[in-house]
């Protein structure tokens, strides 16, 4: 392994290896549905040439990837993504990787990170903007215990949290109370907020991994619902950051005997976890969403919002990609089910934050997504929908600033809503995906594989299984 000392990202990697006494290199890359995968090599295997030649691996067992007869793949480490992985006992440096074909050396069509790279390249090619900034607010639950199983004759899940309101009467020898009420978990101080110290530890671990954290707090639901906010970054870097965020959050919790889930709706009858995604376009270092229109938005910003709203049903197949996602996207739980925009209404799919008058802070917040999405695909799809709105000058209609819950039925029926199920969203994507094909960012093959994978691996298996609630409804019929 060569010793380097210079200004390039590759030089910086070798400087980190030397400074921290690194023994192993861990390569992290993304599968098709949206989870990090990895393998490791001894540090001596990493050479300067490794960043151009890559490392081979068998891709046939990666979800949604190649068949076994064409399984050889290469990962290409991105030197700009290096971080010291403090959750591995042996001193380890991690690198996020792209996946390429070993013969052609071209980006693998189903590598989600390559899709995000193509999205950024396409944006620049349009001349509309040169940077799309994204900032994701990922909510999650911190539990003390989780058990689940399903088989031919039984099915159940069981979640528990010392903070869960349902434990207010449990003998905890002693039970000290201070358990947030359902839907009243937003911002109570300790001791009602049991998790301040853990979230602080998560925050410091995120900062140590190189992420820029803006705030942390308890969220609305009981039983440890939380949020930690990252500062916005360009599209690809923001997607990288979200994956590192989830990795740090889960592993910090595990070291403290806790478990984290980003499932949108793990609890019945309380608020679910979403991932509001703030986005804006910039060119030559200047923000393009500030103007003299509604909520101080530019015409470009309004057209971008028009694109998001027009394509929202199809977007949901990518931004809300699980059957569980649609147990969150229901009225009555602050869920953004209404395909409208507003500067204040939090049940609208698009909100325009009004915290600051600074033109650089002007952005659109798409509130539908959840953190089970593949961020490379989701951020790329949202940007393409917005760009389609800009190119075609799509009118977003009138803003919806009324309280939606007080709207008369005749008014509410004119407000379109998000799909009611993953299957419905996938059908919407089948009908409406031409906007994703611009610049060859997505391909028909990628979209077809996404739809078929979700239908065969998730929608149909879920539909085949009896649900415990059905026994209460029908067993004695």
């Amino acid at each position: 392994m060569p010793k380097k000392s210079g200004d390039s990202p590759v030089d910086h990697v070798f400087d980190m290896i030397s400074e921290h006494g690194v023994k192993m290199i861990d390569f992290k890359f993304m599968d098709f549905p949206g989870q990090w995968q990895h393998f490791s090599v001894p540090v001596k295997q990493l050479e300067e040439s490794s960043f151009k030649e890559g490392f081979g691996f068998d891709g046939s067992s990666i979800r949604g990837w190649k068949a076994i007869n064409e399984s050889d793949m290469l990962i290409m480490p991105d030197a700009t993504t290096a971080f010291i992985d403090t959750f591995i006992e042996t001193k380890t440096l991690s690198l996020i990787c792209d996946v390429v074909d070993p013969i052609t050396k071209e980006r693998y069509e189903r590598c989600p990170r390559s899709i995000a790279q193509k999205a950024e390249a396409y944006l620049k090619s349009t001349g509309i903007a040169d940077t799309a900034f994204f900032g994701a607010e990922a909510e999650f639950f911190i539990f003390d215990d989780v058990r689940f199983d399903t088989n031919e004759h039984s099915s159940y899940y069981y979640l528990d949290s010392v903070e869960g309101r349902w434990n207010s009467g449990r003998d905890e020898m002693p039970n000290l109370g201070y358990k947030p009420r359902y839907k009243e978990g937003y911002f109570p101080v300790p001791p009602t907020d049991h998790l301040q110290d853990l979230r602080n530890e998560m925050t410091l671990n995120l900062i140590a991994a190189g992420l820029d954290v803006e705030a942390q707090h308890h969220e609305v639901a009981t039983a440890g619902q939380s949020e930690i906010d990252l500062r916005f970054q360009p599209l690809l870097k923001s997607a990288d950051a979200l994956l590192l965020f989830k990795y740090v959050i889960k592993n910090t919790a595990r070291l403290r005997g806790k478990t984290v889930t980003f499932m949108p709706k793990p609890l019945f009858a309380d608020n679910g976890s979403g991932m509001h995604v703030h986005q804006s376009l910039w060119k030559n270092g200047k923000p393009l969403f500030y103007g003299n229109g509604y909520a101080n938005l530019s015409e470009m910003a309004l057209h971008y919002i028009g694109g998001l709203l027009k394509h929202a049903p199809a977007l949901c197949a990518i931004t809300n990609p699980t059957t569980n996602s649609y147990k969150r996207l229901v009225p009555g739980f602050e869920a953004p089910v209404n395909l409208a925009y507003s500067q204040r209404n939090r049940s609208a799919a698009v909100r325009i934050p009004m915290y600051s008058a600074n033109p650089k802070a002007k952005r659109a917040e798409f509130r539908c997504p959840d953190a089970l999405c593949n961020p490379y695909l989701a951020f790329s799809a949202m940007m393409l929908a917005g760009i389609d709105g800009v190119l075609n000058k799509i009118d977003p209609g009138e803003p919806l600033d009324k309280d939606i819950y007080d709207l008369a039925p005749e008014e509410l029926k004119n407000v379109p809503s998000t799909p009611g199920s993953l299957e419905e969203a996938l059908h919407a994507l089948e009908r409406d995906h031409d906007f994703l094909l611009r610049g060859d960012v997505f391909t028909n093959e990628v979209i077809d594989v996404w739809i078929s994978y979700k239908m065969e691996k998730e929608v149909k298996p879920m539909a085949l299984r009896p649900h415990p609630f059905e026994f209460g409804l029908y067993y004695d019929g």
Side-chain angles (χ1 to χ4, degrees), residues 4 49 96 98 107 128 142 152 154 204 210 248 252 313 352 372 398 423-425:
K4 307 289 291 184
S49 60
I96 301 174
D98 300 317
R107 293 189 184 108
I128 293 170
I142 304 171
E152 290 75 11
S154 67
L204 294 177
V248 170
T252 304
I352 298 88
L372 289 191
E398 293 299 314
E423 183 173 13
E424 188 180 329

Side-chain angles (χ1 to χ4, degrees), residues 131-354:
T131 308
F133 281 110
F134 280 77
E137 300 174 351
E139 298 167 343
F140 53 93
F141 278 89
I142 304 171
F143 293 123
D144 292 294
D145 189 34
V146 54
R147 286 174 276 146
F148 52 90
D149 192 20
T150 184
N151 53 50
E152 290 75 11
H153 68 97
S154 67
S155 186
Y156 82 100
Y157 70 92
Y158 181 84
L159 300 169
D160 206 7
S161 165
V162 69
E163 206 191 68
R165 187 66 177 182
W166 59 82
N167 283 325
S168 60
R170 182 172 68 175
D171 185 0
E172 296 179 346
M173 296 182 292
N175 188 324
L176 300 178
Y178 300 115
K179 302 182 190 298
R181 286 176 285 272
Y182 296 104
K183 298 190 179 186
E184 293 186 26
Y186 200 64
F187 283 21
V189 298
T192 302
D193 179 358
H194 290 227
L195 298 164
Q196 174 72 6
D197 288 335
L198 179 56
R199 290 196 309 273
N200 279 342
E201 184 177 358
M202 290 172 171
T203 297
L204 294 177
N205 285 343
L206 290 166
I207 293 170
L211 299 181
D212 192 352
V213 180
E214 292 191 329
Q216 64 91 346
H217 58 83
H218 204 287
E219 259 297 340
V220 175
T222 189
Q225 192 184 34
S226 298
E227 178 177 315
I228 301 177
D229 298 333
L230 300 178
R231 185 168 176 78
F232 65 88
Q233 295 189 77
L235 189 154
L236 178 66
K237 290 297 184 184
S238 186
D240 285 342
L242 180 60
L243 295 169
L244 179 53
F245 171 90
K246 292 175 71 173
Y247 181 76
V248 170
I249 296 301
K250 289 178 181 178
N251 280 286
T252 304
R254 183 174 179 272
L255 289 175
R256 295 291 174 258
K258 304 281 188 180
T259 178
V260 161
T261 183
F262 289 88
M263 278 181 68
K265 194 72 171 184
L267 294 183
F268 170 64
D270 208 340
N271 280 41
S273 295
M275 186 180 75
H276 307 152
V277 181
H278 299 253
Q279 46 204 285
S280 62
L281 299 179
W282 291 52
K283 189 173 185 179
N284 297 326
K286 296 182 179 179
L288 302 179
F289 275 15
Y290 185 81
N292 55 10
Y294 171 80
N296 292 123
L297 291 172
S298 65
E299 184 180 55
M300 178 186 291
L302 287 166
H303 289 154
Y304 188 100
I305 291 169
L308 286 174
L309 294 176
K310 176 183 176 180
H311 298 298
L315 285 176
C316 282
I318 298 172
T319 62
N320 303 76
T322 72
T323 58
N324 187 255
S325 300
Y326 298 87
K327 292 176 172 60
R328 166 185 167 253
L329 287 181
V330 293
F333 295 89
E334 297 186 14
V337 297
N338 301 286
L339 298 183
Y341 69 105
S342 173
Q343 60 183 344
R344 295 196 180 274
N345 202 320
R346 291 177 180 266
S347 65
V350 177
R351 189 175 75 96
I352 298 88
M354 302 300 290

Side-chain angles (χ1 to χ4, degrees), residues 15 80 109 128 160 168 198 219 223 259 289 301 313 316 319 364 370 387 390 400 408 440 452 457:
D15 289 342
T80 67
E109 188 176 22
I128 293 170
D160 206 7
S168 60
L198 179 56
E219 259 297 340
T259 178
F289 275 15
C316 282
T319 62
D370 61 63
I387 292 300
V390 174
L400 188 63
D440 201 35
S452 62
K457 300 293 186 180

Side-chain angles (χ1 to χ4, degrees), residues 20-203:
H20 294 277
V22 168
K23 303 297 183 185
M24 298 292 292
I25 305 296
D26 195 59
F27 300 118
K28 293 177 170 65
F29 59 97
M30 176 61 85
D31 70 6
F32 197 53
Q35 283 193 327
W36 254 357
Q37 310 293 314
H38 80 129
F39 68 90
S40 302
V41 301
V43 68
K44 69 178 183 179
Q45 298 295 326
L46 188 72
E47 301 283 347
E48 186 174 1
S49 60
S50 301
F51 292 91
K52 294 182 179 179
E53 296 175 2
F55 290 83
F57 74 103
D58 179 0
S60 64
S61 296
I62 304 298
R63 298 183 303 168
W65 277 18
K66 285 185 178 283
I68 196 166
N69 64 316
E70 47 182 10
S71 60
D72 290 342
M73 309 291 289
L74 285 177
I75 53 102
M76 305 296 289
D78 183 341
T80 67
T81 66
F83 66 96
I84 299 299
D85 196 328
T86 59
F87 300 106
I88 300 174
E89 186 175 336
T90 301
K91 187 64 73 172
T92 298
L93 181 139
S94 282
L95 291 160
I96 301 174
C97 303
D98 300 317
V99 180
V100 303
D101 185 284
I103 298 174
T104 66
K105 296 297 193 295
E106 293 180 352
R107 293 189 184 108
Y108 179 39
E109 188 176 22
R110 298 186 201 175
C111 173
R113 197 168 190 263
S114 76
I115 290 172
Q117 290 165 334
K118 288 192 291 182
E120 289 191 321
Y122 169 69
L123 176 65
K124 291 178 182 177
S125 76
T126 65
I128 293 170
D130 53 37
T131 308
F133 281 110
F134 280 77
E137 300 174 351
E139 298 167 343
F140 53 93
F141 278 89
I142 304 171
F143 293 123
D144 292 294
D145 189 34
V146 54
R147 286 174 276 146
F148 52 90
D149 192 20
T150 184
N151 53 50
E152 290 75 11
H153 68 97
S154 67
S155 186
Y156 82 100
Y157 70 92
Y158 181 84
L159 300 169
D160 206 7
S161 165
V162 69
E163 206 191 68
R165 187 66 177 182
W166 59 82
N167 283 325
S168 60
R170 182 172 68 175
D171 185 0
E172 296 179 346
M173 296 182 292
N175 188 324
L176 300 178
Y178 300 115
K179 302 182 190 298
R181 286 176 285 272
Y182 296 104
K183 298 190 179 186
E184 293 186 26
Y186 200 64
F187 283 21
V189 298
T192 302
D193 179 358
H194 290 227
L195 298 164
Q196 174 72 6
D197 288 335
L198 179 56
R199 290 196 309 273
N200 279 342
E201 184 177 358
M202 290 172 171
T203 297

